[in-house]
Amino acid sequence: MIIRKTIWPRTLSDFFSMTFILLIVPIIYWFELWVVLPAIHEPGTLPYILHFIFGNFIMVNIVGNFTYAVFCDTSTRRDIMPISAANTKDGWRLCASCETLSPPRSWHCSTCNVCILKRDHHCIFTGCCIGHFNHRYFIMFLLYLFVATTYGFCYNNLFIWNRIHFEFPMSIIKIIFPLAIFVFGFDGSINQFYLLLYIVSAVGMLYTGALCIYHFCLVINGNVANESNKKIHIYNLGWKQNIREVLGDRWYFTWILPYIKSQLPHNGVIWDTPSSWNYADSKNK
């Protein structure tokens, strides 16, 4: 993996979004495993140990995939092939911003100030573009965020409703508008802080769930966000091969850990289409 030269967020929106992720993930991790879990299961028991292990497994995948997505350079600066091999008939075009030829399926990002190989979108939560070489890690980061928030939300229901005492209408206001606790106070209890974390996990579950549906549909259909917006559908090779294009040849193992190597079938420059793809060769992989 080639490391990006600049990993710091370039805009305020990227900075605040990335800071939010870097703060809220460890806070929720602490809340779920050191506050909620001991309140539901007795420490040392088998259910407690299993849930504790599973919680840490999720955390390792969130942190690992986030780190790889942020650090991986997926720009055209990788110099994968000589510019002399460029052919406009194959989809190469001139990027006026970079003042050089840009490969097929790559688009220029005004925030990153570079063309990105098979650019999907610029992610404000990672502070970088998602493209060919870090697409796998973004997808898995998103998946495990959804798993974590859904898993936490289910347990939080058992935890929070046994601790919160409703006072109409103040409790309703604080549930609908969680930041109201900073206006109306914590009621001398940490329960309101727990309620805030509960609501964050609920909102996170809905938000990441919607993103998972959107991005998984793109992957299965062989598209990235830019191509979907431009109604470009010439790279659909069937759902299985489309998944391999993003997750690599060992796509069925990539969900386990981000550290598992899975070779991508392309270099980010030369792409197959249904007319040029060798189906016989793909069955042997």
Side-chain angles (χ1 to χ4, degrees), residues 20 58 86 115 122 140 166 168 196 202 210 218 238 250 267 270-271:
F20 173 77
I58 294 174
C115 283
H122 183 88
M140 288 301 157
F166 277 94
F168 187 83
L196 175 62
L218 289 176
R250 306 176 70 189
N267 62 0
I270 302 175
W271 298 97

Side-chain angles (χ1 to χ4, degrees), residues 73-132:
D73 183 4
T74 189
S75 71
T76 55
R77 292 175 181 153
R78 296 171 64 104
D79 295 328
I80 295 175
M81 65 183 297
I83 204 71
S84 58
N87 190 332
T88 55
K89 295 181 179 180
D90 296 329
W92 287 76
R93 61 189 180 278
L94 177 65
C95 175
S97 300
C98 293
E99 296 183 346
T100 185
L101 288 176
S102 182
R105 307 190 79 182
S106 63
W107 282 270
H108 187 85
C109 176
S110 57
T111 302
C112 297
N113 194 31
V114 69
C115 283
I116 304 298
L117 296 170
K118 202 189 75 170
R119 181 178 184 269
D120 187 77
H121 69 289
H122 183 88
C123 178
I124 61 175
F125 295 107
T126 60
C128 66
C129 272
I130 304 303
H132 179 57

Side-chain angles (χ1 to χ4, degrees), residues 192-212:
Q192 294 300 330
F193 178 62
Y194 292 162
L195 177 61
L196 175 62
L197 296 180
Y198 166 75
I199 296 173
V200 168
S201 67
V203 173
M205 177 185 65
L206 296 174
Y207 182 66
T208 55
L211 288 179
C212 278

Side-chain angles (χ1 to χ4, degrees), residues 201-267:
S201 67
V203 173
M205 177 185 65
L206 296 174
Y207 182 66
T208 55
L211 288 179
C212 278
I213 294 174
Y214 174 71
H215 284 284
F216 286 156
C217 286
L218 289 176
V219 171
I220 290 174
N221 290 322
N223 282 340
V224 291
N226 273 313
E227 293 169 346
S228 179
N229 295 335
K230 297 177 183 292
K231 301 186 183 302
I232 300 174
H233 307 288
I234 63 174
Y235 299 105
N236 190 345
L237 304 178
W239 70 268
K240 189 173 182 179
Q241 182 62 25
N242 291 340
I243 292 175
R244 186 181 284 114
E245 298 274 317
V246 174
L247 302 183
D249 292 335
R250 306 176 70 189
W251 58 274
Y252 37 82
F253 286 135
T254 54
W255 65 271
I256 300 176
L257 283 173
Y259 315 109
I260 295 177
K261 291 185 178 180
S262 183
Q263 183 67 37
L264 293 172
H266 294 295
N267 62 0

